[in-house]
Amino acid sequence: AQTVTQSQPEMSVQEAETVTLSCTYDTSESDYYLFWYKQPPSRQMILVIRQEAYKQQNATENRFSVNFQKAAKSFSLKISDSQLGDAAMYFCAYTGTASKLTFGTGTRLQVTL
Amino acid sequence: GAVVSQHPSRVICKSGTSVKIECRSLDFQATTMFWYRQFPKQSLMLMATSNEGSKATYEQGVEKDKFLINHASLTLSTLTVTSAHPEDSSFYICSARDPSGAGNEQFFGPGTRLTVL
């Protein structure tokens, strides 16, 4: 079975600074997708960024980028120029051939002035 | 992105009653929908996968007779919590996969907070 591990229950970053959230996963599949989802206090799940395993190039979406290390099964999220609106729970997630998502335990990100 | 709605957003019911939660894909047809449960300050736990026109697939440990799932059309899946008890109180979230979209992405509804008194 696939597992997703987020080892940082909480992180804090100052506004305008950069923060990196860690995620590791375990799978025997070769074809899969990885995601970072954001869950603000409203609890609406919002897709932040997606990475296809077959792509070597790291995905980027504006201030958000990932460091995808397939051999190490690592998928970290870097948030640049952090904003107050980035404060939320962040979940790393995996999906493979079964099409269902496996989530990590989440990292609560606090953004301070 | 695609939009998924959920209704109701909040429901309070008495112990022993049944509650139905609806999940709709508004601008795409979803052959597969998913139901999750989320306890406070915890991650999402997949309860079941709902497939249009067929029986739902439940995750291990989820009582299928307690949590009835029906996916009667390509845009609607329902979760019925039967004979609800206080321990069923939780936040329930649905998601839908757009088969025409890229990357196996799931689009999430806003969730339903169920409180059983």
Side-chain angles (χ1 to χ4, degrees), chain B residues 74-115:
Chain B
L74 285 171
T75 59
L76 173 64
S77 176
T78 60
L79 168 67
T80 301
V81 183
T82 62
S83 187
H85 290 284
E87 58 265 30
D88 299 323
S89 298
S90 191
F91 192 68
Y92 293 88
I93 306 175
C94 74
S95 71
R97 196 165 67 87
D98 181 357
S100 66
N104 269 9
E105 182 181 347
Q106 291 183 23
F107 299 93
F108 286 83
T112 297
R113 182 181 303 281
L114 170 63
T115 303

Side-chain angles (χ1 to χ4, degrees), chain A residues 38 48-49 59-66 77-80 86 90:
Chain A
K38 170 185 178 181
V48 174
I49 200 164
T60 62
E61 286 287 343
N62 301 313
R63 298 183 295 109
F64 299 88
S65 62
V66 299
L77 173 69
K78 185 171 82 171
I79 305 174
S80 305
D86 295 333
Y90 285 82

Side-chain angles (χ1 to χ4, degrees), chain A residues 10-62:
Chain A
E10 292 189 12
M11 291 285 284
S12 183
V13 62
Q14 279 193 319
E15 200 176 16
E17 296 296 309
T18 295
V19 65
T20 298
L21 308 185
S22 301
C23 174
T24 59
Y25 61 96
D26 189 25
T27 184
S28 58
E29 297 177 316
S30 59
D31 190 17
Y32 53 88
Y33 295 85
L34 296 163
F35 305 89
W36 279 98
Y37 281 93
K38 170 185 178 181
Q39 189 179 41
S42 68
R43 304 189 79 171
Q44 171 73 59
M45 295 288 285
I46 301 166
L47 177 67
V48 174
I49 200 164
R50 171 181 58 231
Q51 176 78 44
E52 293 91 336
Y54 65 86
K55 288 188 177 179
Q56 291 186 334
Q57 188 173 9
N58 289 324
T60 62
E61 286 287 343
N62 301 313

